[in-house]
Amino acid sequence: MFIEFEQRQKALDRVEQIFTRCLRKVNSLEMWRYYLNYIRRTHSPATAPAEKRAEARQIITQAFELVLANVGLDKEAGSLWAEYLAFLKASETTSMYEEQVKMDSQRKVFHRALVIPLSNIEAIWKDYDLFENGLNKLTAKKLLSEKSSGYMTARTAYREMKNLMATIDGSAKTWNAVPPSFNESECTLLEAWKKFIAWEKSNPLRIEDASAVAARVVYAFKSALSMLRFFPEIWNDAASYLVELGREEDAIAMLTEATEIMPRSLLLHFSLAEIKESAKKDFSEITSLFDALIANLETGINELNARFDEEKERLTAKLAAEAPKDTSEWDGEMRELDRGRQRQADAEIGKIDEAREQELMVARKGYSLAWIIYMRIARRCQGVKAARNVFKLARKAPHITTHVYVASALMEYYCSKQASVACNIFEAGVKAFANDAVLLGQYLEFLLQVNDDKNARALFERGLVALPPEQAQSLWSIFLKHEISYGELPNITKAEKRRREMYQQDGSSSQSVAERWMYLDLNNVAEQDLGLQSSSQSAATQKAKLHKRTASAGSNGSFPPSGAASVQPPPASVGLEFRAQSLESVHPERYPRPEFGKWVPYKPEPPKPVPLPLPSGEGLGPAGMPPIQPTVPTGGPANAPMHARAPLAPPMPIPSPTAVVRVPEQVAKLLEVLPPAATYNGPLVPIDDIIEIFRRLPVQIPPIPPLMVPVTVTLPASVGAGLSGAPWAGQGGGGPGFSSGDGRRDGGGRNRPPPRSGGGGGFKRKGGGRGSDDDDGGRYRGPGKRHR
């Protein structure tokens, strides 16, 4: 720190100047610690003469009290409290009275420290326990019981505070106070400080003294401002809290300091002006405040223009230096290349001009808002005449927008009740900004409000001539809304026809029909008859409802059984939101495209058939295969325990079986027209990715499950081998996942295999007999053995 440098140079006068200038303004625990060490070093009783030791000790005591009064509430200030207690304990006494005063001073400091959530509060409590028991064990028990509740509350509060400030403490070492860009880290830190301040306002220590609670909250604000120095929100919140406490002067002092730090902050200047207004300050102070703000905003706009001019000149000079000098021997191709370079240069210059316009418009809007608030406060403090004087100054300002004219005109109408004056101001604005859609729209609404129908129609026609069609839509909306509500039917029809012709719209568009039959928030035609989104329900609510309906169909995306509660279609109130999801066009650029040049045609070879002798006779299983009987090894009897048996012999190879599965009727039709899979010799495609894209499409779930039809499919040989030891092999019917093809259903409407016969088929019900697979969950317990 700079203080350390001055101390090493033994420039004590400059060190004291730094302390005088910074201690009160910078809420830094480390700086206060340097100050305390400086006082203890320069006024040490050990080096002072005997007659001045008491005076030196008194100075150090006052320094301790000053430091603890400013930063003693910090959770890391426990070391300062411990040093103060050690200093009091080491003080010399010469009489019983001084000894009693010393003990009382120590006890008071202990009591003050034990109700503060400090990092070393447990160590301070142990020292207090030893201190009281060392004096008198009879009174120690009473005093410790009285202070134990406050100590426990403070210890619990410290743990909560530590969790709340984890994000803040993690950023404190590397944080630099710079103007905010409101990125993710800055917003996270801002929210962390706001949560901590709200926690302090909730009085977690259950302090009865309101001034003590206010001191903790104010200290929390000061701690936040030490990191978030350039965040106007924290300054404004702190000033508002001081105003709530009735400390307007402190709030004014705080915001005055903030405006010096951020001279172009609108929020801080507006809040300071309002507090001065409520405090009945002289209007000249408010005038000087706004004059300074407007001057700083003008300077910022000029700097912005100068920056873009410099960037444009630098780019132009660079392009001029890169341009060829001699073009006499150029052919047509070289000239075409030069024209391409020129177009690229013009595009770069155009980007600079576009960026200038965007930033300049933001700056001009802030500049105009400053004038509008200035007029508003001037009217409240000095009357309408003072506001008119401010408006006269604003008209001469170089960077105002049409908002200043609108604000002045409406203020004249509502405050002075003079519609003619308001119309004159609007007309002056139209002359200064002839092609501004915002001004014309506000002027048109004002004329319709004061029932000046003739001038309103004339202004509407002027606006249609002055504005391009895409900017005149706001005028059409205002005018048509008025005509539909209060005009005659021929005029309404004529106006709608003109609008359709101008924008080449279809008269049957849903939006135009909805606007025709709505009033305020009564939008029943749009919601119930046209299916447009409800204005009373947000898009997030609609999406949540739609997601809930989709999720209710099952996590695997299958349809519910007919016996269960089916998914209901979305009501008409979902409307436009649902239609926009289901009818949204597919954008190919959003998905990765394969490199077709790297594809290699794949020509699979048909598998060689394995001739197997199939026995003839009864007892054949599915697809004419013989039933697979479990082989009992010779190593033990059939009823021997499983661990005592030898391993089962591997099953014999079997040909690929077929199975009958049920699919939706539309899928069955698609499978009928597809060629056999063996005839495909094209490139491999990512089937899983394609299925995932289909799964994510916002397709509406039908309210009724589709008709399921049986389809015979050929299973791979590996699947057939896996089924060789299944409990349904050789039963004449399909196992779990297959259907026998007879189309029968159980009572719940689900596909059910036919009754099994022979070979110990079927699962047992709990009450005896044989039932469906659902009784046992379709679980396989081992070859040749059934379990409940």
Side-chain angles (χ1 to χ4, degrees), residues 204-227:
L205 298 174
R206 297 191 289 274
I207 303 174
E208 298 179 358
D209 187 5
S211 61
V213 177
R216 292 195 59 86
V217 176
V218 171
Y219 183 78
F221 273 116
K222 290 182 178 180
S223 300
L225 291 174
S226 64
M227 293 184 66

Side-chain angles (χ1 to χ4, degrees), residues 56 95 175 261 358 416 491 770:
S95 62
W175 183 262
I261 298 171
Q358 292 178 355
S416 63
N491 294 336
R770 304 190 182 276

